[in-house]
Amino acid sequence: MDDPWQMHAENSPNCEYVLLGKPDEDVNALPFRTVVNLALRCATFSKYDNILEDIRILEESERENALYRDPYSRSLIEFRNATKFLTYEHRLESFESAKIDQKKVLKATSKKLAASGFYFTSKTFATCPFCLLSIDFQEIDDEWKEHQKNVECDFVKLDKKEESEWTPEEAMMLASRMWVMHKYASGLKLVAEFEKKEKEYYEFGERVNRMMAKPKCSTRRCSI
Ligand SMILES: [Zn+2]
Ligand SMILES: [Zn+2]
């Protein structure tokens, strides 16, 4: 196969760069958010590679050289904290304060939601930490069916709700994915913040412009 674009598309059909379509000459034509999205993806995926490398080194150092344990233990602790919702128990725990099981009107239960990959975010909303899908559990009948609509989610793709069935590689893949999404989400928050600020500055500029506009003098004889 000669065309590198074709190769990219066939080997990695889910890559966001591929999903954008074959690029034409004018990169500037891409919307701001798309560019930011791609940049964030790049940044988070390089983090993903680092983490896998950290863990490999950690595993080695645990066996061979306790001297290297500390910095890597630290990065592993950071990793563990960011991937807390990997386990069913932690996701279930997040629903505790919401007391949704006491609200008999809801079809959803915290156990079903946690088992379908969701943790509690706020009010009647729950989020999947693997794909960031957010659902209003007051509105849906079947949280797993709803989740399965997002075919890109690694938790959905793996289709093993029972953690004990995961191989170490699968657990690692899910944990790393969650870490990536965690970073990605905080990056998106920054972008939203930036866009808001930019809009505010723009509106402020418009106001100043209007204020500075030459006032029309109401007196007839005045030449201004
Ligand atoms: Zn790609
Ligand atoms: Zn998901």
Side-chain angles (χ1 to χ4, degrees), residues 128 130-133 147 150 153 155-156:
C128 166
F130 305 100
C131 68
L132 305 181
L133 173 73
H147 203 173
N150 192 8
C153 176
F155 186 76
V156 168

mmCIF file of all heavy atoms in Angstrom, residues 128 130-133 147 150 153 155-156, ligand 2:
data_model
loop_
_atom_site.group_PDB
_atom_site.id
_atom_site.type_symbol
_atom_site.label_atom_id
_atom_site.label_comp_id
_atom_site.label_asym_id
_atom_site.label_seq_id
_atom_site.Cartn_x
_atom_site.Cartn_y
_atom_site.Cartn_z
ATOM 1 N N CYS A 128 -19.423 8.276 32.834
ATOM 2 C CA CYS A 128 -18.522 7.136 32.651
ATOM 3 C C CYS A 128 -17.090 7.672 32.640
ATOM 4 O O CYS A 128 -16.758 8.539 31.836
ATOM 5 C CB CYS A 128 -18.811 6.432 31.331
ATOM 6 S SG CYS A 128 -17.503 5.288 30.862
ATOM 7 N N PHE A 130 -14.492 6.253 31.646
ATOM 8 C CA PHE A 130 -13.695 5.717 30.532
ATOM 9 C C PHE A 130 -13.955 6.480 29.231
ATOM 10 O O PHE A 130 -13.119 6.484 28.343
ATOM 11 C CB PHE A 130 -14.007 4.235 30.308
ATOM 12 C CG PHE A 130 -13.835 3.399 31.535
ATOM 13 C CD1 PHE A 130 -14.937 3.030 32.293
ATOM 14 C CD2 PHE A 130 -12.579 2.998 31.947
ATOM 15 C CE1 PHE A 130 -14.785 2.257 33.436
ATOM 16 C CE2 PHE A 130 -12.418 2.226 33.082
ATOM 17 C CZ PHE A 130 -13.532 1.864 33.837
ATOM 18 N N CYS A 131 -15.155 7.086 29.103
ATOM 19 C CA CYS A 131 -15.463 7.782 27.847
ATOM 20 C C CYS A 131 -16.078 9.152 28.096
ATOM 21 O O CYS A 131 -16.370 9.872 27.146
ATOM 22 C CB CYS A 131 -16.409 6.939 26.982
ATOM 23 S SG CYS A 131 -18.069 6.769 27.657
ATOM 24 N N LEU A 132 -16.296 9.501 29.363
ATOM 25 C CA LEU A 132 -16.855 10.786 29.783
ATOM 26 C C LEU A 132 -18.315 10.985 29.369
ATOM 27 O O LEU A 132 -18.840 12.090 29.451
ATOM 28 C CB LEU A 132 -16.011 11.977 29.265
ATOM 29 C CG LEU A 132 -14.524 11.979 29.623
ATOM 30 C CD1 LEU A 132 -13.855 13.237 29.066
ATOM 31 C CD2 LEU A 132 -14.306 11.925 31.130
ATOM 32 N N LEU A 133 -18.985 9.906 28.938
ATOM 33 C CA LEU A 133 -20.409 10.017 28.635
ATOM 34 C C LEU A 133 -21.155 10.367 29.923
ATOM 35 O O LEU A 133 -20.944 9.754 30.968
ATOM 36 C CB LEU A 133 -20.944 8.682 28.089
ATOM 37 C CG LEU A 133 -22.459 8.613 27.878
ATOM 38 C CD1 LEU A 133 -22.876 9.446 26.671
ATOM 39 C CD2 LEU A 133 -22.915 7.178 27.702
ATOM 40 N N HIS A 147 -25.332 3.241 27.588
ATOM 41 C CA HIS A 147 -23.873 3.288 27.531
ATOM 42 C C HIS A 147 -23.364 2.593 26.257
ATOM 43 O O HIS A 147 -22.426 3.054 25.614
ATOM 44 C CB HIS A 147 -23.288 2.611 28.768
ATOM 45 C CG HIS A 147 -21.898 3.043 29.092
ATOM 46 N ND1 HIS A 147 -21.251 2.671 30.237
ATOM 47 C CD2 HIS A 147 -21.013 3.817 28.401
ATOM 48 C CE1 HIS A 147 -20.046 3.204 30.240
ATOM 49 N NE2 HIS A 147 -19.879 3.898 29.142
ATOM 50 N N ASN A 150 -22.500 4.277 22.970
ATOM 51 C CA ASN A 150 -21.196 4.882 22.743
ATOM 52 C C ASN A 150 -20.169 3.785 22.450
ATOM 53 O O ASN A 150 -19.441 3.326 23.328
ATOM 54 C CB ASN A 150 -20.768 5.707 23.960
ATOM 55 C CG ASN A 150 -19.574 6.586 23.645
ATOM 56 O OD1 ASN A 150 -19.162 6.680 22.486
ATOM 57 N ND2 ASN A 150 -19.006 7.194 24.657
ATOM 58 N N CYS A 153 -16.396 3.627 23.664
ATOM 59 C CA CYS A 153 -15.976 3.479 25.056
ATOM 60 C C CYS A 153 -15.261 2.135 25.272
ATOM 61 O O CYS A 153 -15.770 1.083 24.892
ATOM 62 C CB CYS A 153 -17.191 3.577 25.966
ATOM 63 S SG CYS A 153 -16.775 3.281 27.692
ATOM 64 N N PHE A 155 -14.730 0.548 28.038
ATOM 65 C CA PHE A 155 -15.461 -0.281 28.996
ATOM 66 C C PHE A 155 -16.593 -1.035 28.279
ATOM 67 O O PHE A 155 -16.826 -2.215 28.514
ATOM 68 C CB PHE A 155 -16.021 0.609 30.113
ATOM 69 C CG PHE A 155 -16.681 -0.128 31.236
ATOM 70 C CD1 PHE A 155 -15.924 -0.797 32.189
ATOM 71 C CD2 PHE A 155 -18.070 -0.148 31.361
ATOM 72 C CE1 PHE A 155 -16.537 -1.478 33.233
ATOM 73 C CE2 PHE A 155 -18.688 -0.821 32.402
ATOM 74 C CZ PHE A 155 -17.919 -1.483 33.343
ATOM 75 N N VAL A 156 -17.258 -0.317 27.379
ATOM 76 C CA VAL A 156 -18.325 -0.924 26.571
ATOM 77 C C VAL A 156 -17.736 -1.966 25.621
ATOM 78 O O VAL A 156 -18.243 -3.076 25.487
ATOM 79 C CB VAL A 156 -19.096 0.167 25.785
ATOM 80 C CG1 VAL A 156 -19.998 -0.447 24.727
ATOM 81 C CG2 VAL A 156 -19.895 1.042 26.737
HETATM 82 ZN ZN ZN B 2 -18.050 4.794 28.745
#
